[in-house]
Amino acid sequence: VVKSVTGKVDFTAAGSSKFSALTAGQKLEVGSAIRTGKDGVAIVRAVPGAAIRIGPDSQLVLNEMDFAKNGQKVASRKALIELKSGTISALIDKNDPETTDFRIKTPQGIAAARGTFYAVTVEGDQAYVAVKEGQVGLQRLQKKAGDEGKTE
């Protein structure tokens, strides 16, 4: 769910190449792509208890978003955001770290956290991760001919 939008922010639904203006309150499906302009910023709740702030000049795809409860207790919270370029910051509820699988994928690797606040930036062929609170695990993607998508 889109919580707020400032400046130029567009999105496209999964399987579409037509971008439209993103608006607050809008619900996004798995596979949706978001891009921000030079003045664009959006805050999106990927799953309950996990939100991202998409900075200016950024492009990403919402590859996975899943949430389940068992009564009043969170059973699982899962998200995979593919950051193509730019910067996103993630704030994840630290009260349920064992049920949270929140990952940001870049062309270079995957940054995963459970109950923290961190940011990931992709500039050209480099990725940067900054952790403000908590811990983030990094997994580098192995790039060899014929091994697309494998990790080490």
Side-chain angles (χ1 to χ4, degrees):
V1 176
V2 179
K3 292 303 188 178
S4 69
V5 175
T6 305
K8 182 171 177 47
V9 182
D10 296 324
F11 85 103
T12 184
S16 174
S17 59
K18 183 182 176 197
F19 279 85
S20 304
L22 189 67
T23 58
Q26 192 165 359
K27 292 184 180 182
L28 298 169
E29 301 295 326
V30 170
S32 296
I34 301 171
R35 67 181 182 193
T36 58
K38 291 193 181 305
D39 65 344
V41 173
I43 296 177
V44 176
R45 186 182 72 179
V47 292
I52 58 173
R53 178 190 180 275
I54 308 162
D57 288 327
S58 298
Q59 294 184 34
L60 62 84
V61 178
L62 302 171
N63 282 337
E64 190 173 343
M65 298 180 295
D66 187 49
F67 178 78
K69 285 180 92 172
N70 185 358
Q72 293 299 316
K73 186 170 169 60
V74 174
S76 71
R77 176 180 21 232
K78 199 172 195 180
L80 174 61
I81 314 298
E82 184 176 357
L83 181 61
K84 305 275 191 184
S85 65
T87 301
I88 61 176
S89 302
L91 179 59
I92 299 123
D93 184 353
K94 61 184 175 185
N95 293 323
D96 293 308
E98 66 280 351
T99 63
T100 301
D101 181 12
F102 190 94
R103 297 167 290 150
I104 298 174
K105 180 180 179 183
T106 71
Q108 295 75 26
I110 297 173
R114 291 167 186 51
T116 191
F117 178 67
Y118 72 114
V120 179
T121 299
V122 172
E123 291 179 358
D125 63 353
Q126 297 291 314
Y128 305 91
V129 177
V131 181
K132 181 170 176 132
E133 178 182 318
Q135 295 180 350
V136 174
L138 297 174
Q139 183 179 32
R140 180 178 298 278
L141 293 179
Q142 187 178 44
K143 299 276 186 168
K144 291 182 183 174
D147 285 348
E148 298 287 322
K150 286 189 179 179
T151 58
E152 55 182 27

